[in-house]
Amino acid sequence: MRDGPLEITDLLWSSSGTAVVRADAVELLRSRGQVRAAQVVSMLPARDGVLDAEAIDALGLRIHRELQRLGEELQLGRRVASVVRTLLPAGSAPVRVVDVGCGLGHVLRSIAARGELPAHVDLVGVDLNAVLVAEASRLAALEGLDCRFVSADAFEPGGVIEDGSRTVVVSSGLMHHLAPEDLDGFFAAQARLGVAAFAHWDIAPCLWSTMGAWLFHQARMREAVSRHDGVMSARRAHPAETLLAAASRGAPDHDVEVREGSRWHPRALDVLRPLVGVRR
Ligand SMILES: C[S@@+](CC[C@H](N)C(=O)[O-])C[C@H]1O[C@@H](n2cnc3c(N)ncnc32)[C@H](O)[C@@H]1O
């Protein structure tokens, strides 16, 4: 778990699948000075002091639906596709685009629905949270889309990357969940498999993005957890220098750059910007 302030969603599911004791989560947040977050967690449904797993999974789905709406507002699918198109390995042999930490898979579902990548590109979303993966799969089937979703860890993507040289790995809103000391390992996990390229979108931390996140989440989000975590995401997003240094160490065979938008004339769509790595 990261040092410093936490997002509430960091605490709602345990990585080992064990029950989450509500009082422990509340205490942890209080110990980090997060009084409002502690109050939100203290009101979450629990049985015998343990967070009610079914209710928390349902809450997780509601939060991610709100996140999907934000992704739609920011036209994430279109933006990811426009960068990935430039990163695809040459030739017409199959290429795989893997979205790690895909949540409800709205980025790949949007790309598949609009046919924004060539037909030889296979779209696979990966997430640790099996409930989100099941919902992403259900939605893709309902929408008749040619993309699929599996449960896996972004730090162990080997199961979904068969031929690294014909794979592009993407993510959106994942990197700020990772501790700075874990970023090298995140990039290394992809580099070890020799991926052709990666492009990871996350919030550019600055006053504009924190203010914008607060305004947007107050206006559009209904869940207290979403409102809290949306602003916290912007506050704890990694600066470009941190991402670049970690990517250079973790993926030394890739040329890396952060494609920042302008700071002084911020455009809403630039709030999330990609760190792009291309194998030399
Ligand atoms: C803020 S959400 C972003 C979801 C989605 N990419 C989007 O743009 O809406 C972060 C997601 O990363 C997932 N996640 C966090 N750590 C992960 C890991 N190590 N491997 C795979 N998924 C992870 C979480 O379960 C969550 O769905």
Side-chain angles (χ1 to χ4, degrees):
M1 187 163 306
R2 285 190 64 164
D3 287 339
L6 296 167
E7 287 179 54
I8 294 172
T9 43
D10 290 337
L11 303 177
L12 299 184
W13 298 272
S14 81
S15 50
S16 56
T18 51
V20 178
V21 177
R22 185 171 63 183
D24 290 350
V26 169
E27 188 42 43
L28 181 56
L29 289 164
R30 282 210 189 109
S31 72
R32 299 201 182 189
Q34 296 181 252
V35 178
R36 172 68 189 139
Q39 195 183 20
V40 171
V41 172
S42 72
M43 292 188 301
L44 293 178
R47 284 186 200 161
D48 301 326
V50 164
L51 286 183
D52 178 338
E54 216 172 291
I56 296 300
D57 283 344
L59 171 65
L61 286 174
R62 294 199 299 281
I63 291 168
H64 277 267
R65 287 188 190 114
E66 294 195 319
L67 209 49
Q68 165 167 327
R69 282 201 288 279
L70 174 58
E72 287 165 357
E73 301 269 356
L74 296 177
Q75 302 182 35
L76 260 185
R78 182 185 63 72
R79 298 175 69 214
V80 170
S82 74
V83 171
V84 167
R85 232 179 275 126
T86 67
L87 302 175
L88 294 177
S92 55
V95 173
R96 182 164 292 172
V97 172
V98 178
D99 180 2
V100 289
C102 65
L104 290 181
H106 62 89
V107 168
L108 294 190
R109 287 193 288 113
S110 158
I111 290 173
R114 293 160 189 262
E116 284 171 324
L117 289 175
H120 69 287
V121 177
D122 178 32
L123 304 172
V124 183
V126 160
D127 202 284
L128 269 186
N129 185 319
V131 173
L132 297 179
V133 168
E135 180 65 358
S137 304
R138 188 186 74 83
L139 291 170
L142 205 65
E143 294 157 351
L145 299 175
D146 194 9
C147 53
R148 63 194 170 87
F149 300 93
V150 293
S151 289
D153 190 338
F155 286 83
E156 292 169 20
V160 288
I161 300 180
E162 285 158 15
D163 178 357
S165 70
R166 299 201 63 78
T167 300
V168 177
V169 181
V170 302
S171 72
S172 55
L174 171 65
M175 293 188 299
H176 65 265
H177 285 277
L178 311 180
E181 61 273 20
D182 291 337
L183 287 171
D184 293 25
F186 171 65
F187 296 113
Q190 297 152 49
R192 253 196 313 276
L193 297 166
V195 300
F198 50 78
H200 298 293
W201 275 257
D202 210 349
I203 306 162
C206 63
L207 184 62
W208 296 117
S209 58
T210 303
M211 278 170 42
W214 181 84
L215 196 65
F216 188 94
H217 284 76
Q218 286 300 317
R220 299 297 307 274
M221 303 299 193
R222 295 294 168 264
E223 295 293 339
V225 176
S226 302
R227 287 181 169 183
H228 174 273
D229 283 8
V231 178
M232 190 55 75
S233 308
R235 275 184 55 197
R236 67 180 193 158
H238 301 290
E241 312 83 65
T242 304
L243 295 176
L244 279 174
S248 305
R249 285 189 300 264
D253 294 338
H254 289 70
D255 288 322
V256 293
E257 65 167 320
V258 172
R259 299 189 182 167
E260 295 267 22
S262 163
R263 281 293 156 86
W264 302 111
H265 302 283
R267 291 179 300 153
L269 297 186
D270 285 335
V271 168
L272 270 89
R273 42 67 170 138
L275 166 85
V276 177
V278 178
R279 195 171 154 85
R280 283 190 281 278

